[in-house]
Amino acid sequence: MNDRSSLSTPGGRRWGLTVGPVQYLWPRERLLAFYAELADSPADCIVLGEVVCARRRQMRLEDWLALGRELAQAGKQVVQATQTLVETEADLRQIERLGAETGHWVEAGDASALALLQGRVPLVLGPHINIYNHRALQEHADLGVVRWVPPVELSLEALACIQPPEHPVTGWAQQPIETEVWAFGRLPLSFSARCFTARQHGVPKDQCGFPCGDDPDGRLVRSGEGEDFLVLNGTQTQSAGVHCLLPHGTALAATGARRLRLSPQARGFGQVLTDFEAVFNQGAAAAPRMAAWADLGVPQPLVSGYAFGQAGMVSHVSLPSEMPA
């Protein structure tokens, strides 16, 4: 399955590259520097907002909206994301304000956002909205949906059946709903009202002191056998392996999708973004580019099992040193 990407698209259409929301607690200065670099990057779409924990307030809604305006002026499509775990009335009011003030598309993190925003703004169905069949996507289409990010555990074969390119579900303005595939980053597996990072530090969730800020790529958890297993990121649990579909362009193209989501990691992400552009839009080979990632600090291992209907930690990624002579 480690296919060399030959990625000519119908009509010469480019692959769209979306940078997903930062899932970790990074200091405000680091966030602003990160997005300043993205303004000159190959990404054509950037998703903004705090999606993991409402108590992380380095950036207020006004800050996200102002940042969105700056990135839009730089030529980027901007999507404002809502939280994945909505717990309070204040969280709901924040979603209401997004519907009234953003001026951009909004990515719904959970069903409450769908109820509050339907018909008011173009909606993106985030990866935590449970769309697992064609009928479910059809039922959401009338809410004003323009794009969907399939749940990360869906195989490429399955998502091609849910949104087949020959008979696509249409949404906002009767246009086909665009499919955006999670192509890079640690997989967001679950959310909890409990904060596991606070619990590990022995502090209450509501007065935690933000220990998750000490782990810019989350905190690694190993199994009893000493193998990397999961990553704790506050209320979110992620995979330890980094899901990576860089070598699987042909399989991705067969689904009809033409947009990829890259989820930020703390180190080496700029090079990752450059490499996805080179492979998917310029015809470069994937393996030599991935070989340099470990030295840049990109978390390892690289995995891709879910994309092919297997356990998520299974890898179909072979680096040059691992390939048979």
Side-chain angles (χ1 to χ4, degrees), residues 211-264:
C212 54
D214 297 335
D215 304 308
D217 262 336
R219 176 153 298 200
L220 187 64
V221 176
R222 292 188 170 88
S223 68
E225 291 74 29
E227 297 179 352
D228 296 350
F229 181 42
L230 298 170
V231 162
L232 299 183
N233 177 36
T235 60
Q236 183 193 56
T237 301
Q238 302 180 326
S239 63
V242 173
H243 188 73
C244 178
L245 299 183
L246 187 69
H248 302 297
T250 302
L252 278 163
T255 70
R258 291 296 181 271
R259 177 164 292 280
L260 307 175
R261 169 163 298 202
L262 313 182
S263 184

Coordinates of all heavy atoms in Angstrom, one line a residue, residues 211-264:
P211 N -1.4 22.4 33.8 CA -0.2 21.6 33.6 C -0.1 21.0 32.1 O 1.0 20.7 31.7 CB -0.4 20.4 34.6 CG -1.9 20.3 34.8 CD -2.4 21.8 34.7
C212 N -1.2 21.0 31.4 CA -1.1 20.5 30.0 C -0.2 21.5 29.2 O 0.2 21.1 28.1 CB -2.5 20.4 29.4 SG -3.5 21.9 29.5
G213 N 0.0 22.7 29.6 CA 0.8 23.6 28.9 C 2.3 23.2 28.9 O 3.1 23.7 28.1
D214 N 2.6 22.2 29.8 CA 4.0 21.7 29.9 C 4.3 20.7 28.8 O 5.4 20.3 28.6 CB 4.3 21.1 31.2 CG 4.2 22.0 32.4 OD1 4.4 23.3 32.1 OD2 3.9 21.6 33.5
D215 N 3.2 20.3 28.1 CA 3.4 19.2 27.1 C 2.9 19.7 25.7 O 1.7 19.5 25.4 CB 2.6 18.0 27.5 CG 3.0 17.5 28.9 OD1 4.2 17.3 29.1 OD2 2.1 17.3 29.7
P216 N 3.7 20.4 24.9 CA 3.2 21.0 23.7 C 2.8 20.0 22.6 O 2.1 20.4 21.7 CB 4.4 21.8 23.2 CG 5.6 21.2 23.9 CD 5.1 20.7 25.2
D217 N 3.1 18.8 22.8 CA 2.6 17.7 21.9 C 1.8 16.7 22.7 O 1.7 15.5 22.3 CB 3.8 17.0 21.2 CG 3.9 17.6 19.8 OD1 3.0 18.1 19.2 OD2 5.1 17.4 19.2
G218 N 1.3 17.0 23.9 CA 0.6 16.1 24.7 C 1.6 15.2 25.6 O 2.8 15.3 25.4
R219 N 1.0 14.5 26.5 CA 1.8 13.6 27.4 C 1.7 12.2 27.0 O 0.6 11.6 27.0 CB 1.4 13.8 28.8 CG 2.1 12.9 29.8 CD 2.2 13.5 31.2 NE 3.0 14.7 31.2 CZ 3.5 15.3 32.3 NH1 3.4 14.6 33.5 NH2 4.2 16.4 32.3
L220 N 2.8 11.5 26.7 CA 2.8 10.2 26.2 C 2.5 9.2 27.3 O 3.0 9.3 28.5 CB 4.2 9.8 25.6 CG 4.4 8.5 24.9 CD1 3.5 8.4 23.7 CD2 5.8 8.3 24.5
V221 N 1.7 8.2 27.0 CA 1.3 7.1 28.0 C 1.8 5.8 27.3 O 1.5 5.5 26.2 CB -0.2 7.0 28.2 CG1 -0.5 5.9 29.1 CG2 -0.7 8.3 28.8
R222 N 2.5 5.0 28.1 CA 3.0 3.7 27.6 C 2.2 2.6 28.3 O 1.7 2.7 29.4 CB 4.5 3.6 27.9 CG 5.4 4.5 27.2 CD 6.9 4.2 27.3 NE 7.7 5.0 26.4 CZ 8.2 6.2 26.7 NH1 7.9 6.8 27.8 NH2 8.9 6.8 25.8
S223 N 2.1 1.5 27.5 CA 1.5 0.3 28.0 C 2.3 -0.4 29.1 O 3.5 0.0 29.3 CB 1.2 -0.7 26.9 OG 2.5 -1.2 26.4
G224 N 1.7 -1.4 29.7 CA 2.5 -2.2 30.7 C 3.7 -2.8 30.1 O 4.7 -3.2 30.9
E225 N 3.7 -3.0 28.8 CA 4.9 -3.6 28.1 C 5.9 -2.6 27.7 O 6.9 -2.9 27.1 CB 4.4 -4.4 26.9 CG 3.6 -5.7 27.2 CD 2.2 -5.3 27.7 OE1 1.6 -4.3 27.3 OE2 1.6 -6.1 28.5
G226 N 5.6 -1.3 28.1 CA 6.6 -0.3 27.7 C 6.4 0.3 26.3 O 7.3 1.0 25.9
E227 N 5.3 0.0 25.7 CA 5.2 0.5 24.3 C 4.3 1.8 24.3 O 3.4 1.9 25.1 CB 4.4 -0.5 23.4 CG 5.2 -1.8 23.3 CD 4.5 -2.9 22.4 OE1 3.3 -2.6 22.1 OE2 5.1 -3.9 22.1
D228 N 4.7 2.7 23.4 CA 3.9 3.9 23.3 C 2.5 3.6 22.9 O 2.3 2.8 22.0 CB 4.5 4.8 22.2 CG 5.9 5.3 22.6 OD1 6.3 5.1 23.7 OD2 6.6 5.9 21.7
F229 N 1.5 4.2 23.6 CA 0.1 3.7 23.5 C -0.8 4.9 23.2 O -1.5 4.9 22.1 CB -0.3 3.0 24.7 CG -1.7 2.4 24.7 CD1 -2.2 1.8 23.6 CD2 -2.5 2.5 25.8 CE1 -3.5 1.3 23.5 CE2 -3.8 2.0 25.8 CZ -4.3 1.4 24.6
L230 N -0.9 5.8 24.1 CA -1.8 6.9 23.9 C -1.1 8.2 24.3 O 0.0 8.2 24.8 CB -3.0 6.8 24.9 CG -3.9 5.6 24.6 CD1 -4.9 5.4 25.7 CD2 -4.6 5.7 23.3
V231 N -1.8 9.4 24.1 CA -1.3 10.7 24.5 C -2.4 11.4 25.2 O -3.5 11.4 24.7 CB -0.8 11.5 23.3 CG1 -0.7 13.0 23.6 CG2 0.6 11.0 22.8
L232 N -2.1 11.9 26.4 CA -3.1 12.7 27.1 C -2.9 14.2 26.8 O -1.8 14.7 26.8 CB -2.9 12.5 28.6 CG -3.1 11.0 29.2 CD1 -3.0 11.0 30.7 CD2 -4.5 10.5 28.7
N233 N -4.0 14.8 26.5 CA -4.0 16.2 26.2 C -5.2 16.9 26.9 O -6.2 17.2 26.3 CB -4.1 16.4 24.7 CG -4.1 17.9 24.4 OD1 -3.5 18.8 25.0 ND2 -4.9 18.2 23.3
G234 N -5.1 17.0 28.3 CA -6.2 17.6 29.0 C -7.4 16.6 29.0 O -7.3 15.5 29.4
T235 N -8.6 17.1 28.5 CA -9.8 16.3 28.4 C -9.8 15.4 27.2 O -10.7 14.6 27.0 CB -11.0 17.2 28.4 OG1 -11.0 18.0 27.2 CG2 -11.1 18.0 29.6
Q236 N -8.8 15.5 26.4 CA -8.7 14.7 25.1 C -7.7 13.6 25.2 O -6.6 13.7 25.8 CB -8.3 15.7 24.0 CG -8.3 15.0 22.6 CD -7.6 15.9 21.6 OE1 -6.4 16.3 21.8 NE2 -8.3 16.2 20.5
T237 N -8.0 12.4 24.6 CA -7.1 11.3 24.5 C -6.8 11.1 23.0 O -7.7 11.0 22.2 CB -7.7 10.0 25.1 OG1 -8.0 10.2 26.5 CG2 -6.7 8.9 25.0
Q238 N -5.5 11.1 22.7 CA -5.1 10.9 21.3 C -4.3 9.6 21.2 O -3.9 9.0 22.1 CB -4.1 12.1 20.9 CG -4.7 13.5 21.1 CD -3.7 14.5 20.7 OE1 -2.5 14.4 20.9 NE2 -4.2 15.6 20.1
S239 N -4.1 9.3 19.9 CA -3.2 8.2 19.6 C -1.8 8.6 19.9 O -1.4 9.8 19.7 CB -3.4 7.8 18.1 OG -3.0 8.8 17.3
A240 N -0.9 7.6 20.2 CA 0.5 7.9 20.3 C 1.1 8.0 18.9 O 2.0 8.9 18.7 CB 1.2 6.8 21.1
G241 N 0.7 7.2 18.0 CA 1.2 7.3 16.6 C 0.6 8.4 15.9 O -0.5 8.9 16.2
V242 N 1.4 8.9 14.9 CA 0.9 10.1 14.1 C 0.4 9.5 12.8 O 1.1 8.9 12.0 CB 2.1 11.0 13.8 CG1 1.6 12.1 12.8 CG2 2.5 11.7 15.1
H243 N -0.9 9.7 12.6 CA -1.6 9.2 11.4 C -1.0 10.0 10.2 O -1.0 11.2 10.2 CB -3.1 9.5 11.5 CG -3.9 8.9 10.4 ND1 -4.2 7.6 10.3 CD2 -4.6 9.5 9.4 CE1 -5.0 7.3 9.3 NE2 -5.2 8.5 8.7
C244 N -0.6 9.3 9.2 CA 0.1 9.9 8.1 C -0.3 9.2 6.7 O 0.0 8.1 6.6 CB 1.6 9.9 8.2 SG 2.5 10.7 6.8
L245 N -0.9 10.0 5.8 CA -1.3 9.5 4.5 C -0.5 10.0 3.4 O -0.9 10.0 2.2 CB -2.8 9.7 4.3 CG -3.7 9.1 5.3 CD1 -5.2 9.3 4.9 CD2 -3.5 7.6 5.5
L246 N 0.7 10.6 3.7 CA 1.5 11.2 2.6 C 1.8 10.2 1.5 O 1.8 10.6 0.4 CB 2.8 11.8 3.2 CG 3.7 12.5 2.2 CD1 3.0 13.8 1.8 CD2 5.1 12.8 2.8
P247 N 2.1 8.9 1.8 CA 2.5 8.0 0.7 C 1.3 7.4 0.0 O 1.4 6.5 -0.8 CB 3.3 6.9 1.4 CG 3.3 7.2 2.8 CD 2.3 8.2 3.1
H248 N 0.1 7.8 0.4 CA -1.1 7.1 -0.1 C -2.0 8.0 -1.0 O -3.2 7.9 -0.9 CB -1.9 6.6 1.1 CG -1.1 5.6 2.0 ND1 -0.6 4.5 1.5 CD2 -0.7 5.8 3.3 CE1 0.1 3.9 2.5 NE2 0.1 4.7 3.5
G249 N -1.4 8.8 -1.8 CA -2.1 9.7 -2.7 C -3.1 9.0 -3.6 O -4.2 9.4 -3.9
T250 N -2.6 7.9 -4.2 CA -3.5 7.1 -5.2 C -4.7 6.6 -4.5 O -5.8 6.7 -5.1 CB -2.7 6.0 -5.8 OG1 -1.5 6.5 -6.4 CG2 -3.5 5.3 -6.9
A251 N -4.6 6.0 -3.3 CA -5.7 5.5 -2.6 C -6.7 6.7 -2.2 O -7.9 6.6 -2.2 CB -5.3 4.8 -1.3
L252 N -6.1 7.8 -1.8 CA -6.9 9.0 -1.5 C -7.7 9.5 -2.7 O -8.9 9.8 -2.6 CB -6.1 10.1 -0.9 CG -5.7 10.0 0.6 CD1 -4.5 10.9 0.9 CD2 -6.9 10.3 1.4
A253 N -7.0 9.6 -3.8 CA -7.6 10.1 -5.1 C -8.8 9.2 -5.5 O -9.8 9.7 -6.0 CB -6.6 10.2 -6.2
A254 N -8.7 7.9 -5.2 CA -9.8 7.0 -5.6 C -11.1 7.2 -4.8 O -12.1 6.8 -5.2 CB -9.3 5.5 -5.4
T255 N -11.0 7.9 -3.7 CA -12.2 8.2 -2.9 C -13.0 9.3 -3.4 O -14.1 9.5 -3.1 CB -11.8 8.5 -1.4 OG1 -11.2 9.8 -1.4 CG2 -10.9 7.5 -0.8
G256 N -12.4 10.1 -4.3 CA -13.0 11.3 -4.8 C -12.7 12.6 -4.0 O -13.0 13.7 -4.4
A257 N -12.1 12.4 -2.8 CA -11.7 13.5 -2.0 C -10.6 14.3 -2.7 O -9.7 13.8 -3.3 CB -11.2 13.0 -0.6
R258 N -10.6 15.6 -2.4 CA -9.5 16.5 -3.0 C -9.0 17.5 -1.9 O -8.5 18.5 -2.3 CB -10.0 17.2 -4.2 CG -10.2 16.3 -5.4 CD -8.9 15.7 -5.9 NE -9.1 14.9 -7.1 CZ -9.4 13.6 -7.0 NH1 -9.5 13.0 -5.9 NH2 -9.6 12.9 -8.1
R259 N -9.3 17.2 -0.7 CA -8.8 18.1 0.4 C -8.3 17.3 1.6 O -8.9 16.2 1.9 CB -10.0 19.0 0.8 CG -9.6 19.9 2.0 CD -10.6 21.1 2.1 NE -10.5 22.0 1.0 CZ -9.5 23.0 0.9 NH1 -8.6 23.1 1.9 NH2 -9.5 23.8 -0.1
L260 N -7.2 17.7 2.1 CA -6.6 17.0 3.2 C -6.5 17.9 4.5 O -6.2 19.1 4.4 CB -5.1 16.6 2.8 CG -5.0 15.8 1.5 CD1 -3.6 15.5 1.2 CD2 -5.8 14.4 1.6
R261 N -6.7 17.2 5.6 CA -6.5 18.0 6.9 C -5.2 17.6 7.5 O -4.9 16.4 7.7 CB -7.6 17.7 7.9 CG -7.3 18.2 9.3 CD -8.5 18.4 10.2 NE -9.5 19.4 9.6 CZ -10.4 20.0 10.3 NH1 -10.5 19.8 11.6 NH2 -11.2 20.8 9.7
L262 N -4.4 18.6 7.9 CA -3.1 18.3 8.6 C -3.2 19.0 10.0 O -3.5 20.2 10.1 CB -1.9 19.0 7.8 CG -1.9 18.7 6.3 CD1 -0.6 19.4 5.7 CD2 -1.9 17.2 6.0
S263 N -3.1 18.2 11.0 CA -3.2 18.6 12.4 C -1.9 19.0 13.0 O -0.9 18.2 12.9 CB -3.9 17.5 13.2 OG -4.1 18.0 14.5
P264 N -1.7 20.2 13.5 CA -0.4 20.7 13.9 C 0.2 19.9 15.0 O -0.5 19.5 16.0 CB -0.7 22.2 14.4 CG -2.0 22.6 13.7 CD -2.8 21.3 13.6

